[in-house]
Amino acid sequence: MSEATPPTPSLPEKPKSKTGWIVGIGIAVIAIVVAVVLVVVNLSAPASSGAEKRVSVKIGTTEQSAPYWPILKKAAAKEGIDITVVGFRDYTQANPALADKQIDLNLFQHLQFLANYDVSANATLVPIASTQVVPLPLYSKKYTSVEQIPQGAKIAIPNDATNQARALLVLQKAGLLKLKDGGNTLATPADIVASDSKVSVIPVDAAQTAPALDSADGAIVNNNFALTAGIDPKSALFQDDPKSDTAEPYINAFVAREADKDNKTYLKIAELYHTTAVTDAVLAESKNTAVIVDRPQSDLIAILDKLKTTIAAAK
């Protein structure tokens, strides 16, 4: 019988290395530290480091189809300002809408019109920036010169208080009528000295002055309504001088609520209006009859306050 082979002794198990789990823990700790740092950095970063917040501004006007609006809107959009143009049919609607916070700004009126509104409505709307002065012309489909207009002719004029007074002053300057004591920015048809006047007037809504040319002998038509009606400004028989000192009451302006007169967004929009691209479009639309005006806000408010004082004293 053969002798049994003794079993081969087994080797002891190799001890497991602790290096792997130590490295794993180290990596995890580093990842946590990095994550915490990133959170802290994000929390401490200024809000402006992200996308800028856009601002929406509603501007009321009676000239919503004017070609400068798309240019102004595009320029404002680049500054983070989204302009919505809100159109109104006539001059009587945009100021109440602004006062009632239905819109943020309006751009359609001159300072005399604004002063009359503020006094009559006991409101405190204010000009924040000037834009232009536009002459107020006399047109006719029947005659080609002031001299041709006959005695007894009837001239349509805007019936709102401020444009009506200005229209009467234009007709007086043209030699077609005479006003008591020379008239002023508050003149009404009652101030016409009939015995010394060649024409009589027909007050109508400002938007109806252009259509009135079909029946009246002539009409005083605001520039925006004349352009809408396709009237060539060069065909005007007469107009006032937009560069004269007496034109100050008729400076057009961006208008805001008093609490917003220093609003940086609104002032930025007014600044963009005075860029070359916008003013070129304004002048082109007016057939170069308009005069761009850039007066300090303080000047505009001083003119407005003076006009309001005169209006209040006359009541």
Side-chain angles (χ1 to χ4, degrees):
M1 218 175 133
S2 61
E3 184 174 311
T5 303
T8 303
S10 60
L11 295 173
E13 290 187 9
K14 185 178 181 180
K16 295 180 179 179
S17 173
K18 296 182 181 181
T19 305
W21 64 266
I22 292 175
V23 170
I25 292 175
I27 292 173
V29 170
I30 292 172
I32 292 172
V33 171
V34 170
V36 170
V37 170
L38 289 175
V39 170
V40 171
V41 169
N42 286 333
L43 289 177
S44 62
S48 59
S49 64
E52 291 291 339
K53 183 178 179 181
R54 301 191 69 80
V55 181
S56 296
V57 179
K58 292 182 179 179
I59 305 179
T61 183
T62 55
E63 306 171 9
Q64 59 270 30
S65 60
Y68 68 82
W69 281 115
I71 301 172
L72 180 58
K73 289 173 68 175
K74 184 177 180 179
K78 292 180 179 179
E79 300 290 338
I81 305 168
D82 297 319
I83 294 177
T84 298
V85 179
V86 181
F88 292 94
R89 185 184 66 83
D90 61 47
Y91 295 141
T92 64
Q93 301 170 327
N95 278 334
L98 179 58
D100 292 340
K101 299 184 178 181
Q102 297 173 26
I103 55 178
D104 304 302
L105 295 171
N106 67 39
L107 178 58
F108 76 97
Q109 65 190 319
H110 48 55
L111 299 179
Q112 180 71 35
F113 188 95
L114 175 59
N116 189 71
Y117 173 79
D118 271 359
V119 173
S120 61
N122 194 28
T124 56
L125 302 183
V126 296
I128 65 166
S130 59
T131 56
Q132 59 178 322
V133 172
V134 182
L136 188 61
L138 167 64
Y139 296 102
S140 177
K141 288 187 175 181
K142 298 180 180 180
Y143 309 105
T144 58
S145 70
V146 170
E147 292 73 24
Q148 290 180 359
I149 297 176
Q151 185 73 34
K154 296 184 181 298
I155 308 296
I157 64 173
N159 65 1
D160 59 90
T162 53
N163 283 300
Q164 179 173 258
R166 187 182 181 189
L168 291 172
L169 292 170
V170 169
L171 292 175
Q172 177 173 253
K173 190 72 174 178
L176 294 174
L177 58 73
K178 184 176 180 180
L179 299 170
K180 295 176 183 177
D181 300 322
N184 55 39
T185 57
L186 301 178
T188 71
D191 294 314
I192 296 175
V193 181
S195 59
D196 293 333
S197 299
K198 191 176 184 180
V199 303
S200 60
V201 298
I202 308 170
V204 299
D205 184 279
Q208 297 304 310
T209 51
L213 284 167
D214 292 330
S215 55
D217 295 294
I220 296 287
V221 186
N222 290 83
N223 198 52
N224 59 316
F225 292 123
L227 293 172
T228 299
I231 299 173
D232 183 356
K234 292 180 181 178
S235 67
L237 276 58
F238 189 83
Q239 64 185 26
D240 53 4
D241 181 4
K243 295 182 180 180
S244 65
D245 292 341
T246 56
E248 280 192 340
Y250 308 114
I251 295 173
N252 285 266
F254 279 99
V255 174
R257 292 178 291 276
E258 187 174 33
D260 295 327
K261 68 183 180 69
D262 297 319
N263 183 292
K264 292 182 179 179
T265 298
Y266 301 166
L267 293 174
K268 184 62 179 181
I269 291 173
E271 178 185 327
L272 293 172
Y273 176 95
H274 283 278
T275 56
T276 302
V278 177
T279 56
D280 280 353
V282 171
L283 293 174
E285 183 200 16
S286 74
K287 308 295 185 183
N288 289 315
T289 58
V291 174
I292 301 299
V293 177
D294 193 2
R295 296 281 291 272
Q297 186 188 89
S298 57
D299 283 4
L300 303 178
I301 292 177
I303 295 169
L304 178 70
D305 288 344
K306 183 177 179 180
L307 292 171
K308 287 166 66 172
T309 299
T310 301
I311 293 169
K315 290 187 177 295

